[in-house]
Amino acid sequence: MHDKRARIKFIETCYKLYEQRMYQVAVRILRDSGMAEDAVQEAFLKLMKSDIYFANAASDDCKRYLITVIKHASITVYNKRQKEREIMYLCDKDDLAEEPAAVQEDPDIEQIRELIFDLPPKYSMVVKCLALDNLSVKETARELGITETNVRKRFERSKTMLKSILEGGKMYEKGRPVYESRIS
């Protein structure tokens, strides 16, 4: 392991040489300057935490490594944002906005968890993996042994069922799940 000063100097040199190039790569992947800045920051944090050291920061090997790191960091930032959007969609309260304020009651987290586990197992497992365990659709599909399309469809149906329950409706009618044509 190299001494601390050499490591700091290496990271500073990498930042000066590659920060703009890494930002450009991140913008191309994410198509958002704010998210690209987050990705560059994540990449340099990863670099600071790792034991990777190149004798010459300007070498092709170092450049290739940093480009790979920024690509992975960009994908990680993108996936985090997608998960946040899915969770926000699940918890979206806009559907209740038209109801009178006295009727609107925010269910607490424990109540929602109970409702999730009251769903049929094939639906509750998907919600558990995606919303509670923060797995990606791909990881959830692998975990449950189903296709990614099935994961997305089950998640969509789960949200419909949860919405119906929270609005005081039925989850089942004649032994079959009740689905609305579209959640507004």
Side-chain angles (χ1 to χ4, degrees), residues 63-78:
K63 181 179 179 179
R64 278 191 295 269
Y65 176 76
L66 291 175
I67 296 301
T68 302
V69 169
I70 190 61
K71 285 179 182 178
H72 288 272
S74 298
I75 292 168
T76 301
V77 167
Y78 177 81

